Amino acid sequence: MANQMIEVSSILQEWSGVKARLEELFHERNHENTRELMQHGIGLFVQFLYFSNGKALQLDRPIPFIQFDLKPVNIEERFAFIKSRPSLFHSFRQLSELMVEQEKLFVKNNIIKKSSKPKA
């Protein structure tokens, strides 16, 4: 579990930098340069989704959303929208919300796991 926490922490830290840069680009209305950074952010979310569910990352297959216990509501539709229109500000907002929701689910799940362990 410590390894999982390190991975998740690293992903969230990297997302923080990507998000800040995307906010700048959208504020400047520089939509041409957002696509690549959004693709990177989408990749970070996918990594976060796998790691927070304790699954090995599989980039060569479609994402098996149904197999994940921890996932935001309506993830399939929201993720499809983001992937299909990565240069839109609304996609950025949606990706940001997915990251926040996934982080909340991950933290809540870890608290539940810790509280359910018998104390020695």
Side-chain angles (χ1 to χ4, degrees):
M1 182 146 104
N3 244 4
Q4 184 185 28
M5 291 297 285
I6 292 168
E7 283 292 337
V8 167
S9 178
S10 174
I11 290 168
L12 291 175
Q13 186 174 6
E14 190 171 346
W15 166 246
S16 180
V18 169
K19 181 182 176 193
R21 182 66 184 126
L22 281 166
E23 285 172 344
E24 289 174 18
L25 290 171
F26 280 111
H27 181 74
E28 296 166 356
R29 302 205 189 289
N30 188 345
H31 299 285
E32 301 84 41
N33 294 321
T34 60
R35 180 177 286 281
E36 187 175 326
L37 210 48
M38 276 293 291
Q39 295 295 352
H40 184 62
I42 291 166
L44 289 172
F45 175 73
V46 170
Q47 288 178 38
F48 187 24
L49 185 64
Y50 275 91
F51 287 131
S52 61
N53 278 281
K55 304 222 184 264
L57 186 61
Q58 298 177 339
L59 297 175
D60 58 338
R61 297 185 185 150
I63 300 170
F65 292 111
I66 197 154
Q67 294 178 8
F68 296 124
D69 294 325
L70 303 178
K71 60 187 174 194
V73 176
N74 296 331
I75 188 170
E76 293 92 345
E77 297 86 5
R78 295 164 73 189
F79 190 77
F81 176 82
I82 293 166
K83 289 280 289 181
S84 68
R85 300 169 188 90
S87 296
L88 293 181
F89 179 73
H90 187 67
S91 295
F92 166 64
R93 295 298 307 148
Q94 206 47 241
L95 180 59
S96 296
E97 288 302 313
L98 286 176
M99 290 295 275
V100 167
E101 290 172 39
Q102 191 65 23
E103 183 177 9
K104 286 179 182 178
L105 290 168
F106 178 70
V107 169
K108 178 182 173 184
N109 189 56
N110 282 336
I111 290 170
I112 290 170
K113 280 183 184 176
K114 283 180 185 176
S115 68
S116 67
K117 283 185 180 179
K119 295 182 180 175

